[in-house]
Amino acid sequence: MRDNGLTAAEYTSLGGIDPLVAEAVLAALAKAGIAAYCESSDNVPDELFVDADQIEQARPVIVRSTEDAEWKSLVEQFNAPSAPGHDGGETPVPRWPASEDVDEKYEPLIDVPAGLIVGDDPEDEPEARPKRPADDPHDHYIPPEPTRGPKLDWISRLAWLGLLGGPILLILAAILDFGDSRITALAVAGFIGGFLTLVIRMKDRLPQDDTPDDGAVV
């Protein structure tokens, strides 16, 4: 049992404590005027007992002193001498067990064919693009020649001449001021005659399928 030199009428257990920080906790409790002791046992951690009347005052002291003791222990371990072999001595520690080292006479467990290099496979050479054959004129689409429009006979030509020439004649007569009643009558007659001729000939050229019927099927 370890105590901090102070006594109390009654003690209360605050649970286990790490033996590595027990001395620092007891010293901090003694500095705060709180009686405490640690009871060692076969099992780790030790058990901490404090004055029953000062439990609330002891808790923050224990937490703070425990943190300080753990930090101090880390600093001491960091500044401690290196283990043999880690300090750059004559026999440095190997990166792995020496029994796992591979000597120069190592042979692979599989049979490697002669001439085959074990390692990264060389990159496959890009396949050469096939040469583009010369243009074959027969492979291109050649549109057919456009069909010629219907050939006009002399009656249709005269009808179109009257239909278009009549208004043109009237416009020229009005602009150039050479018109009289005969020219006006000729222009009007040509326009009307050409229009009627084209309408009549259009009806004559309608196909049989376009002719109207009575809509009844017997």
Side-chain angles (χ1 to χ4, degrees), residues 4-211:
N4 62 353
L6 303 178
T7 58
E10 186 178 358
Y11 291 91
T12 299
S13 174
L14 292 183
I17 186 173
D18 190 347
L20 297 177
V21 299
E23 293 293 340
V25 171
L26 291 176
L29 290 173
K31 187 176 180 180
I34 302 173
Y37 69 92
C38 286
E39 191 175 77
S40 302
S41 60
D42 296 337
N43 298 326
V44 178
D46 295 345
E47 189 173 2
L48 176 65
F49 294 87
V50 299
D51 188 353
D53 295 335
Q54 295 181 308
I55 294 178
E56 296 301 327
Q57 295 84 349
R59 292 184 186 277
V61 176
I62 295 172
V63 172
R64 184 172 59 252
S65 60
T66 301
E67 293 176 353
D68 294 343
E70 291 177 349
W71 177 254
K72 183 179 179 181
S73 176
L74 291 175
V75 173
E76 291 177 353
Q77 293 177 15
F78 179 79
N79 295 328
S82 302
H86 288 279
D87 54 356
E90 297 180 357
T91 56
V93 176
R95 290 174 296 173
W96 50 73
S99 59
E100 297 183 6
D101 289 342
V102 178
D103 54 15
E104 298 179 355
K105 298 180 179 180
Y106 170 75
E107 296 181 359
L109 299 178
I110 59 174
D111 295 334
V112 180
L116 178 63
I117 300 175
V118 180
D120 297 336
D121 296 335
E123 296 182 357
D124 297 335
E125 296 182 359
E127 297 180 358
R129 294 184 179 180
K131 294 183 178 179
R132 188 175 181 180
D135 293 338
D136 187 356
H138 298 287
D139 293 340
H140 295 282
Y141 172 74
I142 301 176
E145 295 183 0
T147 58
R148 296 181 179 180
K151 187 176 182 180
L152 298 178
D153 54 6
W154 65 271
I155 297 177
S156 298
R157 294 178 182 178
L158 291 176
W160 279 108
L161 179 61
L163 181 63
L164 300 177
I168 295 175
L169 182 61
L170 290 175
I171 294 173
L172 293 176
I175 294 175
L176 301 178
D177 194 16
F178 65 86
D180 55 10
S181 60
R182 288 179 296 178
I183 294 177
T184 303
L186 179 61
V188 172
F191 175 79
I192 296 174
F195 177 77
L196 293 177
T197 303
L198 291 175
V199 171
I200 293 172
R201 292 178 65 85
M202 186 181 298
K203 291 183 179 180
D204 294 340
R205 294 179 180 179
L206 289 177
Q208 294 296 328
D209 295 340
D210 294 340
T211 56

